[in-house]
Amino acid sequence: MRILLVKLSSLGDVVHTLPVVQDILAARPGAQIDWVVEQAFAPLLAPLRASGHVQHVIPCELRRWRKAPLAAATRAGWRAFKQQLQAAPYDAVIDLQGLTKSALVARLARLAPGGKRYALANQTEGSAYEAPTRWVADVAIAMAPHIHAMQRGRELCARALGYAVPPVPDFGLKVPPALMERAPAAPETIAFVHGTSRADKQWPLEHWITLGRQLMAQGYRIALPHGSADELATSQAIAAALNGDDERGRAIVWPRLSLDALTQHLAQCAGVIGVDSGLSHIAVALDLPHVQIYNFDTAWRTGPLPDSAGATAPRQLSVFAQPTPSVQAVWDAWLSCLPLPAQVSEWAPLP
């Protein structure tokens, strides 16, 4: 069976879709899965491509092409994309995005004899949806209106292909063991994911600094990723405040990294604390101890799911408050997610 998944963007949405690959392969061993995705997010699928779980990653640049639709480079890029998209016929084309652009991609893909296109039949709470996605589908599948983003994609694929959704999601982000090794004497690293595409999702700078000082007092090192000039400035401000005159420089601003390299860097961390953003969702996919910070009550839709039954303690929690969660609330959640590291005898209370 040859299957095409259409999930173009954004980063968090692509992360939430990763488990459908393992779901399909568990139910349909030997299925060949291709995935259409925006070029910027294609590196995230590299581990699935390397493992053979995804046969072909078909990148597109619809975001860039629509800015200059008549440019020669756009026309050439579109022709190359269309040729790759139509290189093979599919038994199932599944539009997991629910937008006009994804509907267009699904419509352009070739079907094998008896093949069908599947799509969402309705909008769910908090998610974008455009009617053309069901107009071009052979089968439009209705979803419960109140559903987690990850579960929506998993249920859509399960109902399209006729299998039961496995109880535990597997994101398939396997990192080589060598990248997971840490020097035993080195301080454990906690990544601060402060960057997000929306300013109203950010956590105050002084909160990051207070939290960083508390973690550093326990022997941790702080890693500060960034993906833009503004995020770099914030990372540098946090590092400067945390390091002060300390020559050890235990707050480290990472260089700007490609998405696959950044995923590998996160995988080597002892944990991640971050706002609602794509990188935070990668931390969830890597099964790292993680606290996700919400200024809006939307964690039910995009945040970490509850741990499986029988778990002694949560590894991942979301914290919500308005206008923003306090440092103490985030700290308390962190203590719940992470057992005491060997080098720490007790936790100091926040000032």
Side-chain angles (χ1 to χ4, degrees), residues 90-155:
Y90 293 98
D91 301 292
V93 175
I94 307 177
D95 176 5
L96 291 136
Q97 193 94 42
L99 299 177
T100 300
K101 62 182 180 181
S102 59
L104 171 63
V105 171
R107 183 67 184 84
L108 287 174
R110 290 171 54 203
L111 290 180
K116 292 182 178 180
R117 296 182 177 87
Y118 301 87
L120 298 162
N122 59 293
Q123 183 174 12
T124 57
E125 291 180 31
S127 298
Y129 182 81
E130 294 170 350
T133 190
R134 67 174 178 266
W135 295 345
V136 303
D138 299 301
V139 181
I141 298 174
M143 291 285 120
H146 191 83
I147 188 171
H148 191 281
M150 180 173 65
Q151 293 301 97
R152 182 182 68 171
R154 297 181 75 199
E155 287 195 19

Short mmCIF file of all heavy atoms in Angstrom, two decimals, residues 90-155:
data_model
loop_
_atom_site.label_atom_id
_atom_site.label_comp_id
_atom_site.label_asym_id
_atom_site.label_seq_id
_atom_site.Cartn_x
_atom_site.Cartn_y
_atom_site.Cartn_z
N TYR A 90 -0.87 6.76 -5.73
CA TYR A 90 -1.08 6.42 -4.32
C TYR A 90 -2.42 5.72 -4.12
O TYR A 90 -3.43 6.06 -4.74
CB TYR A 90 -1.04 7.69 -3.47
CG TYR A 90 0.33 8.33 -3.44
CD1 TYR A 90 0.63 9.40 -4.28
CD2 TYR A 90 1.32 7.84 -2.60
CE1 TYR A 90 1.90 9.97 -4.27
CE2 TYR A 90 2.59 8.41 -2.58
CZ TYR A 90 2.87 9.48 -3.42
OH TYR A 90 4.12 10.04 -3.41
N ASP A 91 -2.41 4.76 -3.19
CA ASP A 91 -3.64 4.09 -2.80
C ASP A 91 -4.46 4.95 -1.85
O ASP A 91 -5.68 4.80 -1.78
CB ASP A 91 -3.31 2.76 -2.13
CG ASP A 91 -2.53 1.84 -3.04
OD1 ASP A 91 -3.12 1.38 -4.04
OD2 ASP A 91 -1.34 1.59 -2.78
N ALA A 92 -3.78 5.82 -1.12
CA ALA A 92 -4.48 6.74 -0.21
C ALA A 92 -3.69 8.03 -0.12
O ALA A 92 -2.48 8.02 0.10
CB ALA A 92 -4.62 6.11 1.18
N VAL A 93 -4.39 9.15 -0.31
CA VAL A 93 -3.82 10.48 -0.11
C VAL A 93 -4.60 11.10 1.05
O VAL A 93 -5.83 11.24 0.97
CB VAL A 93 -3.95 11.36 -1.37
CG1 VAL A 93 -3.45 12.77 -1.09
CG2 VAL A 93 -3.18 10.74 -2.53
N ILE A 94 -3.91 11.44 2.13
CA ILE A 94 -4.57 11.91 3.34
C ILE A 94 -4.16 13.34 3.63
O ILE A 94 -2.98 13.62 3.92
CB ILE A 94 -4.24 11.00 4.55
CG1 ILE A 94 -4.54 9.54 4.21
CG2 ILE A 94 -5.04 11.44 5.77
CD1 ILE A 94 -4.19 8.56 5.31
N ASP A 95 -5.12 14.25 3.53
CA ASP A 95 -4.89 15.67 3.80
C ASP A 95 -5.11 15.89 5.30
O ASP A 95 -6.24 15.96 5.77
CB ASP A 95 -5.84 16.52 2.98
CG ASP A 95 -5.73 18.01 3.28
OD1 ASP A 95 -4.84 18.39 4.07
OD2 ASP A 95 -6.54 18.78 2.75
N LEU A 96 -4.02 16.04 6.03
CA LEU A 96 -4.09 16.24 7.47
C LEU A 96 -4.10 17.71 7.87
O LEU A 96 -4.18 18.03 9.05
CB LEU A 96 -2.89 15.54 8.14
CG LEU A 96 -2.93 14.02 8.08
CD1 LEU A 96 -1.57 13.46 7.73
CD2 LEU A 96 -3.41 13.45 9.39
N GLN A 97 -4.02 18.60 6.88
CA GLN A 97 -3.92 20.03 7.16
C GLN A 97 -5.29 20.71 7.23
O GLN A 97 -5.53 21.55 8.08
CB GLN A 97 -3.07 20.72 6.09
CG GLN A 97 -2.65 22.13 6.44
CD GLN A 97 -1.28 22.17 7.11
OE1 GLN A 97 -0.37 21.47 6.68
NE2 GLN A 97 -1.13 22.96 8.14
N GLY A 98 -6.14 20.40 6.27
CA GLY A 98 -7.47 20.99 6.27
C GLY A 98 -7.53 22.40 5.73
O GLY A 98 -8.43 23.16 6.08
N LEU A 99 -6.61 22.76 4.85
CA LEU A 99 -6.58 24.11 4.27
C LEU A 99 -6.63 24.03 2.75
O LEU A 99 -6.40 22.97 2.15
CB LEU A 99 -5.31 24.85 4.71
CG LEU A 99 -5.14 25.07 6.22
CD1 LEU A 99 -3.81 25.76 6.50
CD2 LEU A 99 -6.29 25.88 6.80
N THR A 100 -6.90 25.17 2.11
CA THR A 100 -6.98 25.19 0.65
C THR A 100 -5.66 24.74 0.02
O THR A 100 -5.66 23.99 -0.97
CB THR A 100 -7.33 26.61 0.17
OG1 THR A 100 -8.60 26.99 0.72
CG2 THR A 100 -7.40 26.68 -1.34
N LYS A 101 -4.54 25.18 0.58
CA LYS A 101 -3.24 24.83 0.00
C LYS A 101 -2.98 23.32 0.08
O LYS A 101 -2.43 22.72 -0.84
CB LYS A 101 -2.11 25.61 0.66
CG LYS A 101 -1.93 25.37 2.15
CD LYS A 101 -0.81 26.25 2.71
CE LYS A 101 -0.61 26.00 4.20
NZ LYS A 101 0.47 26.88 4.74
N SER A 102 -3.38 22.70 1.20
CA SER A 102 -3.18 21.25 1.31
C SER A 102 -4.16 20.50 0.42
O SER A 102 -3.83 19.44 -0.13
CB SER A 102 -3.30 20.81 2.77
OG SER A 102 -4.57 21.13 3.31
N ALA A 103 -5.36 21.06 0.25
CA ALA A 103 -6.33 20.45 -0.65
C ALA A 103 -5.82 20.46 -2.10
O ALA A 103 -6.00 19.50 -2.85
CB ALA A 103 -7.66 21.18 -0.56
N LEU A 104 -5.15 21.55 -2.47
CA LEU A 104 -4.57 21.65 -3.81
C LEU A 104 -3.51 20.57 -4.01
O LEU A 104 -3.49 19.89 -5.05
CB LEU A 104 -3.95 23.04 -4.00
CG LEU A 104 -3.12 23.24 -5.27
CD1 LEU A 104 -3.97 23.06 -6.52
CD2 LEU A 104 -2.46 24.62 -5.27
N VAL A 105 -2.65 20.40 -3.02
CA VAL A 105 -1.61 19.37 -3.12
C VAL A 105 -2.24 17.98 -3.23
O VAL A 105 -1.84 17.17 -4.06
CB VAL A 105 -0.66 19.46 -1.90
CG1 VAL A 105 0.30 18.26 -1.88
CG2 VAL A 105 0.13 20.76 -1.93
N ALA A 106 -3.23 17.73 -2.38
CA ALA A 106 -3.89 16.42 -2.42
C ALA A 106 -4.55 16.17 -3.77
O ALA A 106 -4.54 15.04 -4.29
CB ALA A 106 -4.92 16.33 -1.30
N ARG A 107 -5.12 17.22 -4.34
CA ARG A 107 -5.80 17.07 -5.65
C ARG A 107 -4.80 16.79 -6.76
O ARG A 107 -5.10 16.04 -7.71
CB ARG A 107 -6.57 18.35 -5.97
CG ARG A 107 -7.37 18.28 -7.27
CD ARG A 107 -8.49 17.27 -7.17
NE ARG A 107 -9.22 17.13 -8.43
CZ ARG A 107 -8.85 16.35 -9.43
NH1 ARG A 107 -7.74 15.60 -9.32
NH2 ARG A 107 -9.57 16.27 -10.54
N LEU A 108 -3.62 17.36 -6.68
CA LEU A 108 -2.62 17.17 -7.72
C LEU A 108 -1.97 15.79 -7.68
O LEU A 108 -1.44 15.32 -8.69
CB LEU A 108 -1.53 18.24 -7.61
CG LEU A 108 -1.91 19.66 -8.04
CD1 LEU A 108 -0.79 20.62 -7.71
CD2 LEU A 108 -2.24 19.70 -9.53
N ALA A 109 -1.96 15.16 -6.52
CA ALA A 109 -1.33 13.84 -6.40
C ALA A 109 -2.09 12.81 -7.24
O ALA A 109 -3.31 12.89 -7.39
CB ALA A 109 -1.30 13.42 -4.94
N ARG A 110 -1.38 11.85 -7.77
CA ARG A 110 -1.98 10.80 -8.59
C ARG A 110 -2.52 9.68 -7.72
O ARG A 110 -1.91 9.30 -6.72
CB ARG A 110 -0.96 10.22 -9.55
CG ARG A 110 -0.52 11.14 -10.68
CD ARG A 110 0.66 10.52 -11.42
NE ARG A 110 0.35 9.16 -11.88
CZ ARG A 110 1.29 8.24 -12.14
NH1 ARG A 110 2.58 8.52 -11.97
NH2 ARG A 110 0.95 7.04 -12.57
N LEU A 111 -3.67 9.14 -8.10
CA LEU A 111 -4.24 8.00 -7.40
C LEU A 111 -4.00 6.72 -8.20
O LEU A 111 -4.08 6.71 -9.43
CB LEU A 111 -5.75 8.18 -7.20
CG LEU A 111 -6.21 9.25 -6.21
CD1 LEU A 111 -7.73 9.28 -6.16
CD2 LEU A 111 -5.64 9.00 -4.82
N ALA A 112 -3.74 5.63 -7.49
CA ALA A 112 -3.70 4.31 -8.11
C ALA A 112 -5.14 3.86 -8.38
O ALA A 112 -6.09 4.43 -7.81
CB ALA A 112 -2.99 3.34 -7.18
N PRO A 113 -5.35 2.88 -9.23
CA PRO A 113 -6.71 2.37 -9.43
C PRO A 113 -7.33 1.96 -8.09
O PRO A 113 -6.75 1.20 -7.32
CB PRO A 113 -6.49 1.15 -10.35
CG PRO A 113 -5.24 1.47 -11.09
CD PRO A 113 -4.37 2.22 -10.12
N GLY A 114 -8.51 2.48 -7.83
CA GLY A 114 -9.17 2.21 -6.56
C GLY A 114 -8.70 3.08 -5.41
O GLY A 114 -9.23 2.98 -4.30
N GLY A 115 -7.72 3.95 -5.66
CA GLY A 115 -7.21 4.82 -4.60
C GLY A 115 -8.20 5.93 -4.25
O GLY A 115 -9.07 6.28 -5.05
N LYS A 116 -8.06 6.49 -3.06
CA LYS A 116 -8.97 7.54 -2.61
C LYS A 116 -8.21 8.65 -1.89
O LYS A 116 -7.14 8.42 -1.33
CB LYS A 116 -10.03 6.95 -1.67
CG LYS A 116 -11.00 6.00 -2.35
CD LYS A 116 -12.06 5.51 -1.36
CE LYS A 116 -13.06 4.59 -2.06
NZ LYS A 116 -14.10 4.10 -1.12
N ARG A 117 -8.83 9.82 -1.93
CA ARG A 117 -8.34 10.97 -1.16
C ARG A 117 -9.21 11.13 0.08
O ARG A 117 -10.44 11.09 0.00
CB ARG A 117 -8.39 12.25 -2.01
CG ARG A 117 -7.47 12.22 -3.22
CD ARG A 117 -7.53 13.53 -4.00
NE ARG A 117 -6.60 13.53 -5.11
CZ ARG A 117 -6.88 13.06 -6.33
NH1 ARG A 117 -8.09 12.57 -6.57
NH2 ARG A 117 -5.98 13.10 -7.29
N TYR A 118 -8.55 11.34 1.23
CA TYR A 118 -9.24 11.49 2.50
C TYR A 118 -8.93 12.86 3.09
O TYR A 118 -7.81 13.38 2.93
CB TYR A 118 -8.80 10.41 3.48
CG TYR A 118 -9.06 8.99 3.00
CD1 TYR A 118 -8.13 8.32 2.22
CD2 TYR A 118 -10.23 8.33 3.35
CE1 TYR A 118 -8.36 7.02 1.77
CE2 TYR A 118 -10.48 7.02 2.91
CZ TYR A 118 -9.53 6.39 2.13
OH TYR A 118 -9.76 5.10 1.69
N ALA A 119 -9.91 13.43 3.79
CA ALA A 119 -9.71 14.75 4.37
C ALA A 119 -10.64 14.92 5.56
O ALA A 119 -11.56 14.12 5.79
CB ALA A 119 -9.97 15.84 3.34
N LEU A 120 -10.41 16.00 6.30
CA LEU A 120 -11.28 16.36 7.42
C LEU A 120 -12.60 16.91 6.88
O LEU A 120 -12.61 17.70 5.93
CB LEU A 120 -10.60 17.42 8.29
CG LEU A 120 -9.29 17.01 8.97
CD1 LEU A 120 -8.52 18.25 9.43
CD2 LEU A 120 -9.58 16.11 10.16
N ALA A 121 -13.69 16.53 7.52
CA ALA A 121 -15.00 17.00 7.08
C ALA A 121 -15.45 18.26 7.81
O ALA A 121 -16.42 18.89 7.39
CB ALA A 121 -16.05 15.91 7.29
N ASN A 122 -14.73 18.63 8.87
CA ASN A 122 -15.20 19.76 9.67
C ASN A 122 -14.04 20.40 10.42
O ASN A 122 -12.95 19.80 10.57
CB ASN A 122 -16.25 19.30 10.68
CG ASN A 122 -15.72 18.24 11.63
OD1 ASN A 122 -15.41 17.11 11.22
ND2 ASN A 122 -15.59 18.59 12.90
N GLN A 123 -14.27 21.60 10.90
CA GLN A 123 -13.29 22.30 11.73
C GLN A 123 -13.40 21.79 13.16
O GLN A 123 -14.47 21.44 13.64
CB GLN A 123 -13.55 23.81 11.70
CG GLN A 123 -12.54 24.63 12.47
CD GLN A 123 -12.77 26.12 12.28
OE1 GLN A 123 -13.81 26.53 11.76
NE2 GLN A 123 -11.82 26.93 12.68
N THR A 124 -12.27 21.74 13.85
CA THR A 124 -12.26 21.42 15.28
C THR A 124 -11.83 22.65 16.05
O THR A 124 -11.22 23.57 15.49
CB THR A 124 -11.32 20.24 15.58
OG1 THR A 124 -9.99 20.55 15.12
CG2 THR A 124 -11.80 18.97 14.89
N GLU A 125 -12.13 22.68 17.34
CA GLU A 125 -11.93 23.87 18.16
C GLU A 125 -10.46 24.31 18.14
O GLU A 125 -9.57 23.52 18.38
CB GLU A 125 -12.35 23.59 19.60
CG GLU A 125 -13.85 23.41 19.77
CD GLU A 125 -14.23 23.14 21.21
OE1 GLU A 125 -13.53 23.65 22.11
OE2 GLU A 125 -15.21 22.41 21.44
N GLY A 126 -10.28 25.61 17.82
CA GLY A 126 -8.94 26.19 17.86
C GLY A 126 -8.07 25.91 16.65
O GLY A 126 -6.92 26.31 16.61
N SER A 127 -8.60 25.20 15.66
CA SER A 127 -7.81 24.85 14.48
C SER A 127 -8.36 25.53 13.24
O SER A 127 -9.58 25.70 13.10
CB SER A 127 -7.81 23.33 14.27
OG SER A 127 -7.24 22.67 15.36
N ALA A 128 -7.46 25.90 12.34
CA ALA A 128 -7.88 26.50 11.07
C ALA A 128 -8.48 25.42 10.17
O ALA A 128 -8.07 24.25 10.22
CB ALA A 128 -6.69 27.16 10.39
N TYR A 129 -9.44 25.81 9.35
CA TYR A 129 -10.07 24.88 8.43
C TYR A 129 -10.69 25.65 7.28
O TYR A 129 -11.28 26.72 7.49
CB TYR A 129 -11.16 24.07 9.15
CG TYR A 129 -11.84 23.04 8.26
CD1 TYR A 129 -11.24 21.81 8.02
CD2 TYR A 129 -13.07 23.32 7.66
CE1 TYR A 129 -11.86 20.87 7.21
CE2 TYR A 129 -13.68 22.38 6.85
CZ TYR A 129 -13.08 21.16 6.62
OH TYR A 129 -13.68 20.25 5.81
N GLU A 130 -10.54 25.10 6.07
CA GLU A 130 -11.11 25.74 4.88
C GLU A 130 -11.86 24.69 4.06
O GLU A 130 -11.36 23.56 3.87
CB GLU A 130 -10.01 26.41 4.06
CG GLU A 130 -9.37 27.59 4.80
CD GLU A 130 -8.12 28.14 4.14
OE1 GLU A 130 -7.61 27.50 3.20
OE2 GLU A 130 -7.65 29.21 4.58
N ALA A 131 -13.01 25.07 3.55
CA ALA A 131 -13.93 24.12 2.92
C ALA A 131 -13.35 23.33 1.76
O ALA A 131 -13.71 22.16 1.58
CB ALA A 131 -15.19 24.85 2.47
N PRO A 132 -12.45 23.89 0.91
CA PRO A 132 -11.96 23.09 -0.23
C PRO A 132 -11.34 21.75 0.16
O PRO A 132 -11.29 20.85 -0.67
CB PRO A 132 -10.92 24.03 -0.87
CG PRO A 132 -11.45 25.40 -0.58
CD PRO A 132 -12.01 25.29 0.82
N THR A 133 -10.89 21.63 1.41
CA THR A 133 -10.27 20.36 1.79
C THR A 133 -11.26 19.20 1.66
O THR A 133 -10.88 18.07 1.33
CB THR A 133 -9.70 20.43 3.23
OG1 THR A 133 -8.91 19.27 3.48
CG2 THR A 133 -10.79 20.52 4.27
N ARG A 134 -12.55 19.43 1.93
CA ARG A 134 -13.52 18.34 1.78
C ARG A 134 -14.12 18.27 0.38
O ARG A 134 -14.63 17.23 -0.02
CB ARG A 134 -14.62 18.45 2.84
CG ARG A 134 -15.54 19.63 2.72
CD ARG A 134 -16.69 19.53 3.77
NE ARG A 134 -17.57 20.68 3.72
CZ ARG A 134 -17.44 21.76 4.49
NH1 ARG A 134 -16.45 21.82 5.36
NH2 ARG A 134 -18.28 22.76 4.39
N TRP A 135 -14.05 19.38 -0.36
CA TRP A 135 -14.61 19.37 -1.70
C TRP A 135 -13.83 18.44 -2.63
O TRP A 135 -14.41 17.82 -3.52
CB TRP A 135 -14.61 20.78 -2.29
CG TRP A 135 -15.51 21.74 -1.57
CD1 TRP A 135 -16.49 21.44 -0.67
CD2 TRP A 135 -15.48 23.16 -1.67
NE1 TRP A 135 -17.09 22.59 -0.20
CE2 TRP A 135 -16.49 23.67 -0.81
CE3 TRP A 135 -14.73 24.07 -2.40
CZ2 TRP A 135 -16.74 25.03 -0.66
CZ3 TRP A 135 -14.98 25.43 -2.27
CH2 TRP A 135 -15.98 25.90 -1.41
N VAL A 136 -12.52 18.38 -2.45
CA VAL A 136 -11.69 17.57 -3.35
C VAL A 136 -11.50 16.15 -2.83
O VAL A 136 -10.90 15.32 -3.51
CB VAL A 136 -10.32 18.22 -3.58
CG1 VAL A 136 -10.46 19.62 -4.12
CG2 VAL A 136 -9.48 18.22 -2.31
N ALA A 137 -12.00 15.84 -1.64
CA ALA A 137 -11.81 14.52 -1.05
C ALA A 137 -12.85 13.54 -1.57
O ALA A 137 -14.01 13.90 -1.81
CB ALA A 137 -11.87 14.62 0.47
N ASP A 138 -12.44 12.31 -1.71
CA ASP A 138 -13.41 11.24 -1.99
C ASP A 138 -14.15 10.85 -0.72
O ASP A 138 -15.31 10.46 -0.77
CB ASP A 138 -12.68 10.01 -2.56
CG ASP A 138 -11.97 10.32 -3.86
OD1 ASP A 138 -12.66 10.73 -4.82
OD2 ASP A 138 -10.74 10.16 -3.92
N VAL A 139 -13.43 10.93 0.41
CA VAL A 139 -14.01 10.59 1.70
C VAL A 139 -13.65 11.70 2.69
O VAL A 139 -12.47 11.94 2.95
CB VAL A 139 -13.50 9.24 2.24
CG1 VAL A 139 -14.15 8.91 3.58
CG2 VAL A 139 -13.76 8.13 1.23
N ALA A 140 -14.64 12.40 3.22
CA ALA A 140 -14.42 13.42 4.24
C ALA A 140 -14.87 12.84 5.58
O ALA A 140 -15.99 12.36 5.71
CB ALA A 140 -15.21 14.69 3.92
N ILE A 141 -13.98 12.90 6.56
CA ILE A 141 -14.20 12.23 7.84
C ILE A 141 -14.44 13.27 8.93
O ILE A 141 -13.61 14.16 9.15
CB ILE A 141 -13.00 11.34 8.19
CG1 ILE A 141 -12.83 10.26 7.11
CG2 ILE A 141 -13.16 10.71 9.57
CD1 ILE A 141 -11.59 9.41 7.26
N ALA A 142 -15.57 13.16 9.60
CA ALA A 142 -15.92 14.12 10.64
C ALA A 142 -15.17 13.79 11.94
O ALA A 142 -15.06 12.63 12.33
CB ALA A 142 -17.42 14.10 10.89
N MET A 143 -14.67 14.85 12.60
CA MET A 143 -13.95 14.72 13.85
C MET A 143 -14.76 15.32 14.98
O MET A 143 -15.55 16.27 14.77
CB MET A 143 -12.61 15.47 13.75
CG MET A 143 -11.60 14.85 12.83
SD MET A 143 -10.84 13.37 13.52
CE MET A 143 -11.33 12.17 12.28
N ALA A 144 -14.55 14.83 16.19
CA ALA A 144 -15.14 15.47 17.37
C ALA A 144 -14.61 16.89 17.46
O ALA A 144 -13.42 17.14 17.21
CB ALA A 144 -14.77 14.69 18.63
N PRO A 145 -15.45 17.87 17.78
CA PRO A 145 -14.99 19.26 17.77
C PRO A 145 -13.94 19.58 18.83
O PRO A 145 -13.10 20.46 18.61
CB PRO A 145 -16.28 20.06 18.03
CG PRO A 145 -17.21 19.09 18.67
CD PRO A 145 -16.88 17.75 18.10
N HIS A 146 -13.96 18.89 19.96
CA HIS A 146 -13.00 19.14 21.04
C HIS A 146 -12.02 17.99 21.08
O HIS A 146 -12.28 16.94 21.66
CB HIS A 146 -13.75 19.27 22.38
CG HIS A 146 -12.90 19.79 23.50
ND1 HIS A 146 -12.67 21.13 23.70
CD2 HIS A 146 -12.22 19.15 24.49
CE1 HIS A 146 -11.89 21.30 24.76
NE2 HIS A 146 -11.61 20.11 25.25
N ILE A 147 -10.86 18.17 20.43
CA ILE A 147 -9.91 17.08 20.27
C ILE A 147 -8.49 17.64 20.22
O ILE A 147 -8.25 18.73 19.67
CB ILE A 147 -10.22 16.26 19.00
CG1 ILE A 147 -9.36 15.00 18.93
CG2 ILE A 147 -10.05 17.11 17.74
CD1 ILE A 147 -9.78 14.04 17.82
N HIS A 148 -7.54 16.91 20.81
CA HIS A 148 -6.14 17.32 20.78
C HIS A 148 -5.63 17.25 19.34
O HIS A 148 -6.04 16.39 18.55
CB HIS A 148 -5.32 16.39 21.68
CG HIS A 148 -3.93 16.86 21.94
ND1 HIS A 148 -2.91 16.70 21.03
CD2 HIS A 148 -3.39 17.48 23.01
CE1 HIS A 148 -1.79 17.21 21.54
NE2 HIS A 148 -2.06 17.69 22.74
N ALA A 149 -4.72 18.17 18.99
CA ALA A 149 -4.22 18.25 17.62
C ALA A 149 -3.57 16.95 17.18
O ALA A 149 -3.73 16.52 16.02
CB ALA A 149 -3.23 19.40 17.51
N MET A 150 -2.83 16.30 18.07
CA MET A 150 -2.18 15.05 17.70
C MET A 150 -3.20 13.94 17.51
O MET A 150 -3.13 13.17 16.55
CB MET A 150 -1.17 14.64 18.77
CG MET A 150 -0.45 13.34 18.46
SD MET A 150 0.87 12.99 19.63
CE MET A 150 -0.08 12.78 21.14
N GLN A 151 -4.18 13.87 18.40
CA GLN A 151 -5.18 12.82 18.30
C GLN A 151 -6.05 12.99 17.05
O GLN A 151 -6.52 12.00 16.48
CB GLN A 151 -6.05 12.81 19.55
CG GLN A 151 -5.29 12.39 20.81
CD GLN A 151 -4.70 10.99 20.68
OE1 GLN A 151 -3.53 10.82 20.37
NE2 GLN A 151 -5.52 10.00 20.91
N ARG A 152 -6.26 14.23 16.63
CA ARG A 152 -7.06 14.46 15.42
C ARG A 152 -6.42 13.80 14.22
O ARG A 152 -7.09 13.09 13.44
CB ARG A 152 -7.23 15.96 15.18
CG ARG A 152 -8.09 16.28 13.96
CD ARG A 152 -8.21 17.77 13.73
NE ARG A 152 -6.93 18.36 13.32
CZ ARG A 152 -6.78 19.61 12.88
NH1 ARG A 152 -7.84 20.39 12.81
NH2 ARG A 152 -5.61 20.08 12.54
N GLY A 153 -5.12 14.02 14.03
CA GLY A 153 -4.44 13.40 12.90
C GLY A 153 -4.39 11.89 12.99
O GLY A 153 -4.57 11.18 11.99
N ARG A 154 -4.17 11.38 14.19
CA ARG A 154 -4.11 9.93 14.37
C ARG A 154 -5.48 9.29 14.07
O ARG A 154 -5.54 8.24 13.43
CB ARG A 154 -3.66 9.59 15.79
CG ARG A 154 -2.26 10.08 16.13
CD ARG A 154 -1.87 9.70 17.55
NE ARG A 154 -1.56 8.27 17.62
CZ ARG A 154 -1.54 7.56 18.74
NH1 ARG A 154 -1.90 8.13 19.88
NH2 ARG A 154 -1.24 6.27 18.72
N GLU A 155 -6.54 9.92 14.53
CA GLU A 155 -7.87 9.37 14.28
C GLU A 155 -8.24 9.45 12.80
O GLU A 155 -8.87 8.54 12.26
CB GLU A 155 -8.90 10.10 15.13
CG GLU A 155 -8.83 9.73 16.60
CD GLU A 155 -10.06 10.16 17.38
OE1 GLU A 155 -11.12 10.40 16.75
OE2 GLU A 155 -9.97 10.25 18.61
#
